[in-house]
Amino acid sequence: MDTVQLYETYKPLLFSIAYRMTGSVMDAEDIVQEAFITYSKVSNVKVIENEKAYLCKIVMNSTLDKLGSAARKREVYVGEWLPEPIVERDNEPSQIYLMKESISIAYLLLLQQLSEVERAVFILREAFGYSYDEIGEIVEKSSSNCRQIYHRSNKSITNLPKGPTVDFQSMKSSIEQFTVALQKGNIDKMLELLRADAIYIADGGGKVTSALKPIYTSNRIALLFIGIFKKFPANATVKFRVVNGSPGGIISIDNSVSYVLSFEFEADQIARIYMFANPEKLTHLQIKDH
């Protein structure tokens, strides 16, 4: 395949790997672009037999390098850290691929429990079904070592969230009801839609005002949301979107995306609400999501 065909064929896969590893849309996009530049230079001087594996190796090496500096930034990060949100849009192969893989915020946060190499092996095996031989070629370790790393990683990941028992349309309906109840200040309805032990996590990164720690219980979350909503200007708009495979929405103020919300369900109630408020993590949405 020529470079254009390679790009169209493997960009969704490479982007998905890089995003899972870094939790950053912008970093993932940069890593993929650099991977194809590197590939093009190398392929001019030698024959590459397994193009897919070679590209995956370039991307994985780049993400491992990136994670070192990211870990240092996390040590001084203000408040709770959340990955950059993936907001589903039509006719974008990389986005469609990601949505099909159902990358939830809760799952990405669980990956943070793993070391960089553990995360690489776990993602390639669990999310993409690579064989241990293929993983070994990408991360430059033996297949038996990769098998051990995977099993160790699988045991160390704890508190896997329980999936919803309702279909997507029902979840979307609940989010719409929650939004209407919020706009009307109907706390009783909001409490009906929230689990009693619901959790709210916001990521402002110290750039905007937001809760620095998780907020627990439905009553506190409902009161918090009503307080936040009252501060929104009259031109604030709320649009339903699919965020990291789950029902969510974007809140725009002055035609700029100011907040992204993602809701996760247990049984038929809202169990977790993630609010992305750090403007640096919303930059990739400012042009495409209006």
Side-chain angles (χ1 to χ4, degrees):
M1 286 188 284
D2 60 29
T3 304
V4 174
Q5 288 176 309
L6 279 173
Y7 186 80
E8 292 176 349
T9 301
Y10 294 122
K11 180 191 174 184
L13 168 65
L14 300 175
F15 177 84
S16 190
I17 291 172
Y19 174 69
R20 276 185 171 89
M21 287 292 293
T22 64
S24 169
V25 174
M26 292 182 288
D27 283 348
E29 289 177 344
D30 289 344
I31 287 168
V32 172
Q33 294 291 339
E34 291 169 5
F36 280 102
I37 293 172
T38 300
Y39 177 90
S40 180
K41 292 178 180 177
V42 173
S43 63
N44 285 333
V45 295
K46 72 174 185 178
V47 176
I48 298 172
E49 295 182 0
N50 191 332
E51 298 161 331
K52 178 181 176 182
Y54 196 85
L55 284 165
C56 285
K57 183 184 290 188
I58 296 172
V59 165
M60 195 59 77
N61 286 337
S62 295
T63 62
L64 291 173
D65 290 341
K66 183 78 70 175
L67 287 175
S69 60
R72 290 189 289 273
K73 290 180 181 178
R74 289 276 296 279
E75 291 176 358
V76 295
Y77 197 80
V78 178
E80 295 292 315
W81 179 92
L82 293 174
E84 292 176 14
I86 290 283
V87 179
E88 183 176 353
R89 295 180 289 269
D90 296 332
N91 302 319
E92 284 198 57
S94 62
Q95 307 300 332
I96 293 169
Y97 188 93
L98 279 162
M99 291 307 106
K100 188 167 59 178
E101 294 296 328
S102 297
I103 301 181
S104 72
I105 300 301
Y107 187 78
L108 289 172
L109 290 176
L110 286 174
L111 291 177
Q112 303 304 310
Q113 298 177 16
L114 304 176
S115 70
E116 288 88 346
V117 174
E118 287 175 337
R119 198 183 311 175
V121 172
F122 187 82
I123 287 170
L124 291 172
R125 180 67 178 174
E126 187 75 11
F128 299 100
Y130 278 53
S131 70
Y132 292 114
D133 286 338
E134 290 173 318
I135 296 171
E137 184 178 352
I138 293 171
V139 301
E140 299 181 339
K141 294 183 180 295
S142 69
S143 60
S144 59
N145 195 357
C146 290
R147 185 189 299 273
Q148 293 173 351
I149 292 171
Y150 171 75
H151 288 300
R152 185 172 66 242
S153 303
N154 203 27
K155 288 181 180 178
S156 67
I157 285 192
T158 57
N159 300 318
L160 282 168
K162 298 176 182 177
T165 57
V166 293
D167 60 31
F168 188 87
Q169 285 304 120
S170 297
M171 290 189 288
K172 179 180 178 181
S173 175
S174 292
I175 300 306
E176 291 170 344
Q177 292 176 56
F178 184 86
T179 302
V180 172
L182 172 61
Q183 293 170 331
K184 293 182 177 180
N186 187 343
I187 293 181
D188 289 340
K189 184 61 178 178
M190 294 172 70
L191 294 177
E192 177 187 321
L193 295 164
L194 288 163
R195 281 178 59 93
D197 60 352
I199 304 172
Y200 164 85
I201 299 176
D203 178 347
K207 309 294 182 182
V208 298
T209 302
S210 64
L212 296 179
K213 295 182 178 181
I215 304 297
Y216 299 92
T217 75
S218 56
N219 191 60
R220 292 182 65 195
I221 293 171
L223 292 173
L224 175 69
F225 262 83
I226 287 177
I228 293 173
F229 186 77
K230 286 180 179 178
K231 296 178 182 178
F232 286 164
N235 66 349
T237 61
V238 182
K239 295 180 181 178
F240 178 85
R241 288 287 189 275
V242 177
V243 180
N244 286 72
S246 297
I250 58 173
I251 300 172
S252 298
I253 299 173
D254 295 326
N255 292 319
S256 177
V257 177
S258 299
Y259 304 94
V260 173
L261 291 167
S262 179
F263 297 80
E264 292 187 353
F265 284 71
E266 287 184 18
D268 59 350
Q269 289 180 299
I270 299 167
R272 283 169 294 276
I273 303 176
Y274 301 101
M275 177 178 273
F276 309 84
N278 184 343
E280 292 180 357
K281 295 188 176 184
L282 305 179
T283 302
H284 63 288
L285 302 174
Q286 298 306 338
I287 297 175
K288 299 178 182 178
D289 264 20
H290 296 315

